[in-house]
């Protein structure tokens, strides 16, 4: 124990545990993190700040344990209770959302809050239990090394598990492992403190930890820190002491755009004469480049035909990389931060949804104006009660978390189409092929090959719908085909979706085919938030002023169109804005910023924010100004982290 001013005491052992964790992190960085674009200087900074910030967490633990230990040294029962309370508080902060979901899954209903409390307390007991086991082991000759080996094994396991996300899980494993390690090393640390060199070594570790708390790394180094999953020091500093990166405010008239003050009337030029029959199909997790690549033409014959016969938007952007986020924006015309999100559902289906948000969804408007609205959803949360696509007169969705097959959705859709008469009708279907684990198409081949074969399954089903429309409604039909988001296959270190806002997850296909729509490629950047105003326009209805998007009907007619609304995406408290040729991404949890020139760098590899390019901080200022002007304001509410 080291004495410090102001009656503080520092327990040296947590610093030793943090040092072991820093060594494990350093090994993982060398073994798994790709060499950074900035070269050796950036890599050295990565190592230095990871070590200092990990030691910073250890320093806080050392001060807490030392000072509380001194204050409660004559009250062992109270000391144990205090340690347990600290562990419970940390488990609530770090694992609370995951434990909430597990409680809903295992004990749905009124007992779920009790189960959640029990899970928090059980996880909170992990730290004092690890400390007790390590302390008991420290009294032997061989047991300390066995405990230390187990602790090191935990640290290695943390680096091997779910590498691209789940910071709370990594923090929990690393904290318990470090606690077991430093408790088991109590005797060697005591011997170390008996020597002057030992005290100097501990003091050096403490000073390094203090530097990790006091000095904020550059944005470039922060991005590198989060490439390693065990960066618990970086997570702790980002949530407490790091300031956000600086921006340039002011030159951002277009991104500051708000929804119009009055309803927007429909276009004067009608695409459909008579009562429209509009069918919209979204396909889960479908990348634009997979659909638009000529090399995949044989695997996707109908979408290849659509490129020749429909208006093809080559730069369509999803407003999120999660299905519920992107589709809620598509139907409401409001971005994630403009909507009110709260836990909704039952059991394993209980997640954050905008069910209580009162912004109108465009199917509600269609239904209120006498349009027949029918929805066939591939997943249960598309039911009206979840608020994603509220307002359909007729709905068919699967029970629970099961994903319906394409046949289960398209067969009844075609049956319903065959019953459509002279009335205006809007039908919507969301297909769940493709989706991990990519087992509804080919059963062999690489992940991407199986994924592409599942897009092929959807392609064949969309072709069935198109044939019925052409046969029954040759002059009244409009077919809209798009996707909720894309899918990653290792780009930027992630797989599947949800986890980032890079274009492999945001660029989606968008085809619109109607008798009066000339077939051509449209390179104007559009967003799925434009779909609602477009559909309302097709039915000759006003777009309410709550909608951020704008109708694409003038573009479909070939008229010059000035789309003034911003193109924005959100997910997991990340926010992205397309600002001319530059796309800027701000991560509010990690406090990092990325900006990319999509014309020169479509793969988003060269971060302009770490250069002298003035467009990057200007784009960040535009993004922040947009959300400052448009985000939902409600007492006690802020946009939540949606896993």
């Amino acid at each position: 124990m080291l004495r410090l001013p102001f009656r503080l005491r520092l327990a040296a052992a947590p610093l030793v545990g943090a040092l072991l964790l820093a060594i494990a992190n350093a090994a993982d960085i060398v073994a798994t993190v790709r060499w950074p674009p900035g070269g050796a200087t950036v890599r050295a900074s990565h190592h230095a700040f990871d070590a200092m910030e990990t030691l910073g967490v250890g320093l806080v633990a050392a001060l807490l344990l030392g000072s509380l230990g001194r204050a409660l040294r004559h009250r062992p029962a109270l000391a144990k209770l205090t340690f347990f309370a600290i562990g419970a508080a940390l488990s609530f902060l770090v694992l609370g959302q995951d434990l909430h979901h597990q409680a809903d899954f295992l004990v749905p209903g009124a007992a779920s809050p009790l189960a959640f409390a029990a899970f928090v307390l059980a996880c909170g007991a992990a730290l004092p239990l690890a400390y007790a086991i390590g302390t008991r082991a420290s009294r032997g000759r061989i047991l300390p090394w066995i405990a230390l080996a187990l602790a090191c094994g935990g640290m290695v396991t943390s680096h091997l598990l779910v590498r691209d996300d789940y910071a709370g899980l990594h923090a929990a494993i690393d904290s318990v492992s470090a606690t077991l390690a430093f408790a088991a090393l109590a005797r060697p640390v005591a011997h170390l403190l008996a020597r002057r060199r030992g005290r100097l070594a501990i003091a050096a570790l403490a000073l390094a930890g203090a530097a990790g708390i006091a000095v904020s790394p550059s944005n470039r180094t922060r991005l590198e820190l989060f490439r390693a999953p065990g960066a618990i020091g970086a997570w702790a500093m980002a949530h407490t002491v790091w300031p956000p990166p600086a921006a340039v405010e002011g030159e951002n008239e277009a991104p500051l755009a708000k929804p119009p003050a009055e309803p927007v009337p429909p276009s004067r030029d009608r695409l459909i004469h008579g009562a429209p029959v509009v069918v919209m199909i979204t396909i889960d997790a479908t990348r634009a480049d997979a659909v638009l690549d000529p090399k995949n033409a044989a695997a996707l014959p109908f979408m290849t035909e659509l490129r020749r016969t429909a208006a093809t938007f080559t730069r369509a952007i999803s407003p999120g990389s999660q299905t519920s986020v992107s589709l809620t924006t598509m139907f409401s015309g409001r971005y994630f931060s403009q909507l009110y999100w709260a836990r909704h559902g039952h059991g394993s289906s209980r997640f954050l949804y905008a069910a209580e948000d009162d912004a109108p969804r465009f199917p509600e408007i269609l239904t209120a104006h006498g349009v027949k609205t029918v929805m066939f959803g591939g997943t249960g949360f598309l039911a009206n009660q979840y608020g994603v696509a509220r307002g359909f007169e007729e709905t068919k969705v699967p029970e629970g978390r099961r994903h319906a097959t394409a046949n289960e959705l398209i067969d009844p859709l075609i049956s319903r189409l065959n019953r459509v008469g002279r009335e205006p009708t809007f039908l919507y279907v969301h297909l769940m092929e493709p989706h991990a684990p990519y087992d509804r198409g080919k059963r062999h081949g690489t992940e991407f090959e199986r994924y592409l074969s599942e897009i092929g399954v959807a392609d064949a089903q969309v072709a069935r719908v198109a044939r019925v429309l052409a046969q029954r409604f040759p002059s009244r039909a409009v077919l809209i085909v798009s996707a909720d988001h894309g899918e990653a296959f290792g780009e930027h270190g992630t797989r599947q979706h949800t986890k980032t806002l890079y274009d492999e997850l945001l660029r989606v296909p968008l085809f619109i085919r109607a008798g009066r729509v000339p077939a051509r490629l449209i390179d104007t950047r559009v967003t799925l938030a434009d779909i609602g105003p477009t559909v309302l326009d097709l039915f000759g209805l006003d777009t309410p002023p709550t909608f951020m998007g704008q109708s694409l009907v003038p573009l479909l007619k070939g008229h010059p169109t000035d789309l003034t609304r911003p193109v924005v995406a959100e997910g997991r408290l990340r926010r992205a804005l397309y600002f001319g040729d530059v796309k800027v991404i701000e991560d509010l949890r990690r406090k990092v910023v990325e900006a990319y020139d999509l014309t020169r760098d479509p793969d988003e590899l060269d971060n302009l924010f770490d250069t002298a390019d003035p467009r990057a901080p200007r784009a960040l200022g535009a993004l922040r100004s947009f959300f400052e002007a448009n985000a939902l304001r409600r007492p006690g509410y802020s946009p939540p982290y949606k896993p």
Side-chain angles (χ1 to χ4, degrees), residues 409-476:
L409 300 171
I410 297 302
D411 286 351
L413 172 68
I414 289 176
S415 177
R416 184 63 182 82
L417 258 181
N418 284 326
R419 300 199 305 273
V420 171
R422 296 181 179 275
E423 68 278 9
T425 304
F426 175 71
L427 299 100
Y428 170 67
V429 61
H430 181 69
L431 300 177
M432 294 306 297
E433 292 94 348
H435 200 284
Y438 319 120
D439 58 358
R440 292 187 177 181
K442 292 181 179 179
R443 296 301 181 94
H444 305 287
T446 66
E447 262 195 342
F448 187 81
E449 288 169 343
R450 288 185 284 118
Y451 164 78
L452 190 63
S453 75
E454 287 197 334
I455 301 178
V457 172
D459 182 86
Q461 297 293 337
V462 176
R464 293 177 59 200
V465 177
R467 284 194 292 269
V468 174
L469 287 175
Q471 292 165 4
R472 296 207 64 227
F473 313 102
S475 63
R476 295 170 55 195

Side-chain angles (χ1 to χ4, degrees), residues 368-554:
H369 285 82
V371 178
K372 292 295 182 183
T373 54
V374 187
M375 189 261 285
F376 301 90
T379 183
F381 63 71
L382 290 176
N384 282 328
Q385 60 167 309
Y386 290 92
V388 176
R390 190 169 57 220
F392 284 94
E393 284 183 290
E394 305 171 35
T395 61
K396 176 182 172 61
V397 298
E399 293 292 331
R401 298 186 66 187
R402 187 181 73 85
H403 292 167
T405 65
N407 277 329
E408 289 179 276
L409 300 171
I410 297 302
D411 286 351
L413 172 68
I414 289 176
S415 177
R416 184 63 182 82
L417 258 181
N418 284 326
R419 300 199 305 273
V420 171
R422 296 181 179 275
E423 68 278 9
T425 304
F426 175 71
L427 299 100
Y428 170 67
V429 61
H430 181 69
L431 300 177
M432 294 306 297
E433 292 94 348
H435 200 284
Y438 319 120
D439 58 358
R440 292 187 177 181
K442 292 181 179 179
R443 296 301 181 94
H444 305 287
T446 66
E447 262 195 342
F448 187 81
E449 288 169 343
R450 288 185 284 118
Y451 164 78
L452 190 63
S453 75
E454 287 197 334
I455 301 178
V457 172
D459 182 86
Q461 297 293 337
V462 176
R464 293 177 59 200
V465 177
R467 284 194 292 269
V468 174
L469 287 175
Q471 292 165 4
R472 296 207 64 227
F473 313 102
S475 63
R476 295 170 55 195
V478 179
L479 175 65
I480 303 172
V481 180
S482 189
D484 54 352
H485 52 71
E487 191 83 336
F489 290 88
E491 301 93 341
H492 301 97
T494 66
R495 308 193 80 79
Q496 300 177 27
H497 51 272
T498 296
K499 300 160 189 170
T500 74
L501 293 180
Y502 298 115
D503 270 12
E504 61 264 20
L505 297 190
L506 295 186
R507 276 194 65 218
V508 293
L510 176 58
F511 303 102
I512 300 180
R513 185 163 82 172
R516 293 173 176 266
V517 174
R520 70 187 191 284
L521 299 180
I522 300 175
D523 293 327
T524 303
R525 184 177 288 118
V526 300
T527 164
L528 293 189
D530 297 328
I531 294 294
T534 301
V535 172
L536 292 171
D537 198 346
L538 289 171
F539 285 95
L541 299 175
D542 290 354
T543 296
T546 56
F547 280 70
M548 290 297 302
Q550 293 175 257
S551 173
L552 303 179
V553 168

